[in-house]
Amino acid sequence: MTRMNIKRAGAVVLVIAGFVALGRSKPLSLHAAESHGCTNAILRDGYGAGTTGLINSSSNPNDITIPTFVPFAEVVHFIFDGGGNISGSSTADFGGTSFPVTFTGTYSVKPNCTGNLTINAGANGIIHRDLVVVDGGREVEFVSTDPGLVIAGSMKKQRTEEE
């Protein structure tokens, strides 16, 4: 055998050995495996959150220009019951004016740890958010899905002395 044929034969053996090894291992996945551990129960008790973003202040929904958007910030205390209901309170700042908000609502978490919530904030309206539960329910990332809102934030589970 020539030197070139020995190199080719060696390469072929390595490739075959690699396929054999892969055949005996778990299948390779190019996307995250769907978790089957998340339900509404993963969110229970108090969470602290901060949100920031912009709200379209124009009464014309077609007026979507930079000057019509007003800064928004909020600090929120969410209380999840583990069964799909949520309540809480916040201090919101809209364009430099702050005010208290109380709310109730519902939430839903899918097996892949994504979900949504709908909040009734009384005179401040109905708010919709999509969420992703991370770190075993210790944190939640969210984004508003209502037209005219560019708001995102994260929640962190509050710890109590018993934990």
Side-chain angles (χ1 to χ4, degrees), residues 8 11 35 46-47 53 56 59 61 89 96 116 118 131 141 143 150-151:
R8 284 186 190 146
S35 169
Y47 284 74
N56 189 351
S59 59
S89 61
N116 58 65
T118 301
L131 40 104
E141 302 293 329
V143 64
V150 183
I151 297 174

Side-chain angles (χ1 to χ4, degrees), residues 37 104 113 123 126 129 141 143 159:
T104 60
C113 298
I126 304 294
R129 293 183 174 157
E141 302 293 329
V143 64
R159 297 179 191 255

